[in-house]
Amino acid sequence: MAASAILLGTLIPIHASSAATWRSLGPDAAATTRLVVSPSQAGAVFLATGNGVFRSTDAGAHWASRGLQGSQVCDLATSPADPDLLVATVAQERQSCQMVSVFRSVDGGATWTRPDPSATFAFGAALALDPTDPEIAWLAAESGLFRSADGGQTWHPLATVFWGTYPPRRVLPAPAHEGRLYATGGRADRGVCRSEDFGDTWVCFPQGLPESAWYLNDVAVDPTDDRHLLTATNDGVYASNDSGESWAMALGGPPAFESFSAVAFAPSQPRIVYAVGQRALTASADGGATWSGIACGSTGFPCDQTIEGVAGIVVSHDDAMKVWASGSREGPMFSADAGQTWTRRTAGLRNAYVTAVHVDQCGALLAGTELQGVFRSDSLGATWEMASNGLPYNWRGWEQPTFQVGGFAQGAPQSPLYAATPWGLFATANPGATWSLVRGWSCTSVLADAAAPEWLLTGSANSFMAPGGIFRSQDAGTTWTNVSPVPGQTSIGALLRDPYHPQTVLAAGEIRLGGTWVGALRSDDGGSTWLQGMSVPVSGALALAADPMLDGTLYLGTHNGGVFRSADLGLSWQAARSGLPGWAPATWYPVGALLADPGRPGTVYAGTWSGVYVSRDRGDSWAPFGTGSPPYEVRALALADGGRTLLAGTFGAGVLALDLSAPRPPRRTLVHAP
């Protein structure tokens, strides 16, 4: 047969340069740890968040970064005597305030310094600055109380651990009594402690505080009479009229035994007091003698029995009607009418804890978060709206799991969109408009099938509430079957359908089979039976991806072993982690997200605890991808805009986007066939 010529089109993509810049898409949300109202500038507010310090000059209508971006700020304090002085404790590890360092700004947050890099504090829980001398500051930590005489530049130990085994939750100088300090004793059996000599010595007063009050969450001092104190406990609000020496219940008690997280006097009208409880915001117009409740929900105030809810209440210095609530994962809340109505003030706070990202067939972008709900954008991040109706996103009880979206899944374009959460599997027909519960069981991940819309597969993790496993429904979630190979020994972190073999699904996590821990399982019949994968020598698997251009090639992201690659659909795995970041040699950061680019052969993206990394050789080598991204924990990856934009869901900076170069026109290659 005569030879013939065949013209083949080969797609030669142009990759985004490693110097390309990530840009923030939002949404506007913030996990706040402390809100500080400026004592001298009307409308000025500082906010400590998981993404640095922010400042607003218009009572929170707009926020702008004020330094320490990319850092978890654990506490923040300013001095009434010098409003330009700010002192902050900053976590040494992301998302953990177990070990903190002290940073200082003398220009209102424009610049920050770390005066003593060697000074670190375990559980540095509380900061305070003297109301009249800005050079004097206190820091309470697990190892004791520390004092600074130079505005936070150096610190010297004072008292021993006078509050027992729990560090104080608040240290508060008495505004009208020089040298007097109050500190919550952590445990009620230690009481509220008082010092008369700037913290050199202390006396603690538990008299009148009940044994049932395990924690003293907050303490407030009357600005005109520092003998009058209020303390918020997990069993009501208690009052003292003798500088803390004896206490009596002022609010709460039987039969409700309501827990209170915060209490505050209004500086301009000290007879007005606010207290935050689980069921209501409560106010007093007579210094705490009588109280009236402002119910949650109808006013917009998020105090619905959540230990991740409001942790602080701050009243404006010049207007007792203007009140701030902080500490919520939803962001700061503001009321201009003494708590009767509330609005969320988050414009400019790009601090969402994004755990899942989904782009549907119409281009709608959904961002699922931890304790902040689901957000939707129809303009690729230009504008956002809440899309959480029907989701219990801001609810967490004492022994309940934290709400977060573990993953989204949608089969055919007109099929429901599913969201896996610890509170169950939820579905929506119009992405985010209204969610309904499909399965009331903890879910970490979900798979849907475009060819069989009735088929669903979910994974769950082991917990004290229920065992983990793999569950399948063949009737759109009406009934479920546990298809785990060993029920109770399977904790699933990710699910994947192989693009070449529609009946082949894979599950990854912490899986125990016959006394052996394995990283992944494979089923070739849609989940009915499972083949045991080769053991991956790490503590757990978090993410899965399939190479869309090479049949049988899979990628596995792990907790501390980097990335592994399989060329035989998961039966065996080899390390593919050269260049990935880690805690130390041979110990890698968790890889919580993986994405193989279908338009760029050999390109794989990895979301790590130190940003996004890229491999252009199927995992043989890795390098940081893009600039301008703080080293956040990346939980989700997705492509948008026809593959021209890479999206990264970060734990603390919302959704970030990186523009990828458009592919070149196909190159014509002449191939001779016999």
Side-chain angles (χ1 to χ4, degrees), residues 365-421:
L365 167 61
L366 274 82
T369 71
E370 179 177 294
L371 286 170
Q372 295 167 328
V374 173
F375 296 84
R376 172 177 171 164
S377 175
D378 293 320
S379 55
L380 198 59
T383 60
W384 294 85
E385 61 182 353
M386 286 288 291
S388 302
N389 186 27
L391 294 175
Y393 64 93
N394 62 351
W395 208 103
R396 179 184 175 185
W398 284 102
E399 293 185 354
Q400 303 288 344
T402 300
F403 181 91
Q404 65 173 286
V405 179
F408 294 108
Q410 186 175 26
Q414 302 304 317
S415 298
L417 174 69
Y418 296 94
T421 84

Side-chain angles (χ1 to χ4, degrees), residues 164-246:
T165 58
Y166 294 83
R169 301 195 171 200
R170 190 75 184 275
V171 174
L172 195 63
H177 196 125
E178 186 178 11
R180 176 174 287 181
L181 290 173
Y182 293 100
T184 55
R187 287 290 296 246
D189 56 3
R190 297 294 294 171
V192 173
C193 303
R194 187 183 75 206
S195 172
E196 302 288 354
D197 51 15
F198 295 93
D200 286 329
T201 59
W202 292 83
V203 180
C204 298
F205 302 103
Q207 291 86 351
L209 294 172
E211 294 182 0
S212 58
W214 301 327
Y215 298 107
L216 304 184
N217 297 317
D218 198 8
V219 62
V221 181
D222 188 327
T224 59
D225 181 4
D226 58 26
R227 296 172 300 173
H228 183 205
L229 284 74
L230 293 170
T231 184
T233 81
N234 71 295
D235 192 13
V237 175
Y238 288 78
S240 172
N241 293 307
D242 54 10
S243 303
E245 295 186 15
S246 61

Side-chain angles (χ1 to χ4, degrees), residues 539-553:
S539 62
L542 304 173
L544 276 168
D547 195 316
M549 296 185 179
L550 192 61
D551 187 2
T553 298

